[in-house]
């Protein structure tokens, strides 16, 4: 799924409601907001979960209350898989909105819902931008290289189409749930990217530049390799071995019997996963392959 350039600045909202009257009213409200994009509506929990995985909304709004316990538990499970999603429960019986993992508040009218959707999470407004960006990179580690690519690319102001062209070919984006538009929105929320509205371009902020420097794959690789001297040789060995693309079983065979992996017991996936997260390996077409950053570290 790809977010269009025209839509990439809008907050993507998914609506779940067990009642057509409630859902219809909220749907009409959301559609009137130019900076909100209603990407889907469902009344069945199972169908809603499937749609959420497919549509990758940034905000989920659902009808809350005593009768909604099952739906609430199911939707809360989404937060574990996608920590950047905001889950907002609206109880029509006592006029309260609950922003899950945040605080509950009373509302004067249902129109307050749009204000809650648009407001940034309190933790994001209080923490330094650099920390928020590093937290994002950690939470969406599978997209870490894509985040770094956007921050570096947009040090020179770029159009959305340019960002998309640079990010979509990355191996991490193959069959990805989130689009470059999602990543841009999250980076903007956390102070790493800003929109130059008159030009229609995106530019990395000063905080974003600092994080891009810290997140440079070769730097993170060196930190990983030097962090635990007992494993340094294995990391370097795997990087060198995968300069020729290798199957998972080939890497396992390479490391089989290595005494450094016995106490404590670790497996080959410990090293390939760490190197992938640090930007030294990439998983392409069923093979582990050393990246450009990995080859740079090897010299």
């Amino acid at each position: 799924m790809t977010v269009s350039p025209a839509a990439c600045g809008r907050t993507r909202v998914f609506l779940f409601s067990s009642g057509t009257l409630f859902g219809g009213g909220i749907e009409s409200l959301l559609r009137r907001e130019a900076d909100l994009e209603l990407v889907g509506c469902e009344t069945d929990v199972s169908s809603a979960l499937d749609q959420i995985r497919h549509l990758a909304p940034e905000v989920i709004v659902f009808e809350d209350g005593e009768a909604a316990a099952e739906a609430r538990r199911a939707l809360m499970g989404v937060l574990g898989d996608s920590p950047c999603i905001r889950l907002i429960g609206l109880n029509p019986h006592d006029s309260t909105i609950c922003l899950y993992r945040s605080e509950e508040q009373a509302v004067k009218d249902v129109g307050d819902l749009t204000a809650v959707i648009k407001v940034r999470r309190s933790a994001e407004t209080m923490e330094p931008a650099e920390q928020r960006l590093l937290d994002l990179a950690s939470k969406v580690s599978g997209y870490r290289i894509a985040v770094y690519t956007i921050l570096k690319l947009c040090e020179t102001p770029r159009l959305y189409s340019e960002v998309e062209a640079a990010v979509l070919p990355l191996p991490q984006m193959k069959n990805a749930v989130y689009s470059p538009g999602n990543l841009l929105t999250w980076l903007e929320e956390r102070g790493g990217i800003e929109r130059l509205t008159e030009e229609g371009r995106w530019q990395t902020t000063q905080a974003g530049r600092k994080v891009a420097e810290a997140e440079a794959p070769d730097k993170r690789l060196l930190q990983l390799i030097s962090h635990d001297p007992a494993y340094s040789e294995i990391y370097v060995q795997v990087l060198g071995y995968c300069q020729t693309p290798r199957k998972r079983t080939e890497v396992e065979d390479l490391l089989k019997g290595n005494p450094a992996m016995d106490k404590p017991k670790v497996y080959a996936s410990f090293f390939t996963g760490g190197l992938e997260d640090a930007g030294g390996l990439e998983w392409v077409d069923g093979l582990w392959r050393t990246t450009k950053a990995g080859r740079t570290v090897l010299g």
Side-chain angles (χ1 to χ4, degrees):
M1 180 195 65
T2 301
V3 179
S4 68
C8 68
R10 301 165 68 191
T11 300
R12 298 167 54 78
V13 183
F14 184 90
L15 174 63
F16 173 79
S17 170
S18 58
T20 55
L21 181 61
F22 171 88
I26 299 300
E27 180 178 350
S28 297
L29 173 73
L30 296 176
R31 291 192 185 280
R32 290 200 298 267
E33 298 294 319
D35 51 354
L36 300 180
E37 180 187 10
L38 186 62
V39 296
C41 304
E42 271 294 345
T43 57
D44 175 74
V45 174
S46 179
S47 298
L49 295 177
D50 288 340
Q51 287 294 306
I52 288 166
R53 294 187 189 99
H54 175 68
L55 296 170
E58 296 158 77
V59 177
I60 301 170
V61 176
F62 73 102
E63 182 179 358
D64 207 351
E66 292 183 6
E70 180 182 351
R72 188 189 310 113
R73 282 195 297 271
L75 293 171
M76 286 286 286
V78 173
L79 297 180
D81 298 329
S82 304
C84 291
I85 290 180
R86 280 177 284 168
L87 180 60
I88 299 174
L90 174 59
N91 189 328
H93 302 294
D94 60 9
S95 296
T96 58
I97 290 175
C98 185
L99 179 57
Y100 284 86
R101 295 190 178 175
S102 186
E103 67 281 347
E104 185 174 306
Q105 64 185 76
V107 296
K108 295 178 181 178
D109 58 65
V110 75
D112 286 354
L113 174 64
T114 57
V116 174
I117 291 174
K118 296 174 188 179
V119 73
R120 295 177 181 175
R121 284 168 283 189
S122 57
E124 291 174 355
T125 59
M126 292 171 62
E127 296 172 357
E130 290 90 339
Q131 186 58 53
R132 297 198 303 267
L133 291 166
L134 290 171
D135 287 345
L136 173 66
S138 177
K139 287 178 180 177
V140 292
S141 58
Y143 298 85
R144 200 161 194 160
I145 298 299
V147 167
Y148 169 77
T149 299
I150 292 173
L151 290 174
K152 287 298 292 182
L153 179 72
C154 292
E155 288 181 355
T156 299
R158 303 286 184 175
L159 294 169
Y160 177 79
S161 57
E162 294 177 285
V163 174
E164 193 175 50
V167 172
L168 285 179
L170 296 173
Q172 294 81 7
M173 299 302 291
K174 187 176 182 180
N175 301 319
V177 173
Y178 299 118
S179 71
N182 294 133
L183 299 178
L184 274 172
T185 298
W186 295 339
L187 287 168
E188 183 187 24
E189 287 180 345
R190 289 157 178 81
I193 290 282
E194 60 185 356
R195 271 179 293 178
L196 308 177
T197 52
E198 293 183 1
E199 302 177 26
R201 297 175 186 270
W202 300 80
Q203 184 173 34
T204 304
T205 63
Q206 188 61 35
R209 289 172 184 264
K210 291 180 180 178
V211 170
E213 182 179 354
E215 285 288 293
D218 55 345
K219 183 175 292 187
R220 285 194 292 114
L221 268 174
L222 289 171
Q223 290 173 343
L224 174 70
I225 292 170
S226 62
H227 177 70
D228 193 336
Y231 294 148
S232 296
E233 289 187 9
I234 300 178
Y235 282 124
V236 172
Q237 184 182 15
V238 172
L239 281 177
Y241 187 61
C242 292
Q243 290 185 91
T244 299
R246 304 288 184 176
K247 297 178 182 178
R248 181 181 286 109
T249 52
E250 290 181 294
V251 178
E252 291 171 350
D253 289 341
L254 171 73
L255 301 181
K256 189 177 296 182
N258 192 312
M261 298 170 61
D262 289 336
K263 294 181 180 180
K265 184 68 174 178
V266 294
Y267 298 91
S269 58
F270 172 85
F271 299 98
T272 54
L275 288 168
E276 181 185 29
D277 186 51
L281 286 184
E282 55 190 3
W283 180 252
V284 182
D285 297 329
L287 298 171
W288 285 115
R289 184 175 70 185
T290 302
T291 63
K292 181 180 178 180
R295 293 193 297 272
T296 299
V297 168
L298 288 172

